[in-house]
Amino acid sequence: DGGITQSPKYLFRKEGQNVTLSCEQNLNHDAMYWYRQDPGQGLRLIYYSQIVNDFQKGDIAEGYSVSREKKESFPLTVTSAQKNPTAFYLCASSRTAVQPQHFGDGTRLSIL
Amino acid sequence: SQQGEEDPQALSIQEGENATMNCSYKTSINNLQWYRQNSGRGLVHLILIRSNEREKHSGRLRVTLDTSKKSSSLLITASRAADTASYFCATDGPSGTGNMLTFGGGTRLMVKP
């Protein structure tokens, strides 16, 4: 079945540590996105990529970094510069920008 | 800031009743989409309505769009306990992030059996 896979499901970060969240899709979608969701809130866009080897900052990119070396993969690194990283992180993809998005099941990041 | 704002923030109804959620937005849009999120899961796309459409149906879902009022509503008819979830509207169009989708804060729907 085609879809988006996020891993791990739960992740713990120590002080000063960078952690990387994985997102893989086999839908042959060009566009991929990373969102942050805080409890009881909507989604906020961190980064997006409309094509391989290109990505753009979203509304809350500070403290995060991404890469898009392959069409299928769009990993997100939460750096030590992100002082409040505890949140639910969602990856999504779509055929093109503004088409309906398909979401993974998220990674919940907590601080140790 | 969020483009779409849902109302109410939370809604509790009995199984079999209809549920209506509203979404208001600030700037002009190309499309408006509704998504559903079960607790602890990713979002699932429900329906897309274009700016030149006024109403759209999909099964028990009915979406309306009033561009003059910059608002949309999602109606779920004959609700079931399995409809319990959060529902989000998302708009695209001029915003802080170009044509990317901007999500509202969601309506948390509880359907009691």
Side-chain angles (χ1 to χ4, degrees):
Chain A
D1 281 343
I4 296 187
T5 301
Q6 289 188 243
S7 62
K9 193 169 177 63
Y10 300 96
L11 187 57
F12 297 92
R13 196 191 87 170
K14 294 179 182 177
E15 198 75 36
Q17 185 182 40
N18 293 353
V19 291
T20 297
L21 285 60
S22 170
C23 178
E24 303 277 334
Q25 55 100 357
N26 60 4
L27 298 165
N28 199 33
H29 285 170
D30 285 319
M32 296 188 74
Y33 315 84
W34 274 106
Y35 294 95
R36 171 180 172 139
Q37 187 177 33
D38 291 288
Q41 303 294 313
L43 277 63
R44 291 185 291 168
L45 183 64
I46 304 172
Y47 268 99
Y48 64 97
S49 168
Q50 297 193 57
I51 198 166
V52 174
N53 292 323
D54 185 57
F55 49 83
Q56 305 294 330
K57 293 182 180 180
D59 296 321
I60 56 164
E62 186 174 349
Y64 301 97
S65 66
V66 294
S67 62
R68 185 87 187 276
E69 296 175 2
K70 297 187 299 181
K71 188 175 187 177
E72 303 79 22
S73 179
F74 192 40
L76 173 74
T77 296
V78 184
T79 74
S80 57
Q82 173 49 247
K83 297 306 179 189
N84 183 24
T86 297
F88 189 50
Y89 290 87
L90 286 162
C91 179
S93 72
S94 62
R95 192 168 295 133
T96 61
V98 308
Q99 291 292 309
Q101 295 183 10
H102 296 249
F103 283 80
D105 270 341
T107 292
R108 194 167 297 279
L109 176 61
S110 303
I111 297 294
L112 275 179
Chain B
S1 62
Q2 290 175 337
Q3 163 76 312
E5 294 293 338
E6 285 90 342
D7 169 59
Q9 290 188 333
L11 180 61
S12 181
I13 60 174
Q14 293 294 136
E15 208 165 26
E17 293 180 341
N18 295 343
T20 300
M21 289 157 268
N22 303 297
C23 170
S24 60
Y25 56 92
K26 297 185 178 74
T27 62
S28 61
I29 62 170
N30 297 320
N31 304 299
L32 186 144
Q33 302 180 33
W34 283 93
Y35 288 81
R36 166 197 168 121
Q37 183 182 33
N38 286 8
S39 182
R41 303 294 298 273
L43 278 69
V44 175
H45 179 260
L46 296 175
I47 200 162
L48 180 152
I49 186 164
R50 302 187 193 287
S51 59
N52 61 354
E53 296 176 310
R54 291 296 167 257
E55 189 171 311
K56 207 160 183 181
H57 297 254
S58 176
R60 293 184 296 113
L61 305 181
R62 172 178 168 249
V63 168
T64 61
L65 178 64
D66 187 334
T67 53
S68 67
K69 295 181 180 177
K70 292 187 170 58
S71 68
S72 173
S73 67
L74 170 66
L75 168 67
I76 304 174
T77 60
S79 64
R80 305 166 182 168
D83 293 330
T84 295
S86 292
Y87 292 83
F88 295 90
C89 68
T91 55
D92 72 65
S95 73
T97 49
N99 285 328
M100 293 299 110
L101 287 184
T102 304
F103 286 83
T107 292
R108 279 153 284 286
L109 173 66
M110 175 174 289
V111 181
K112 299 174 188 174

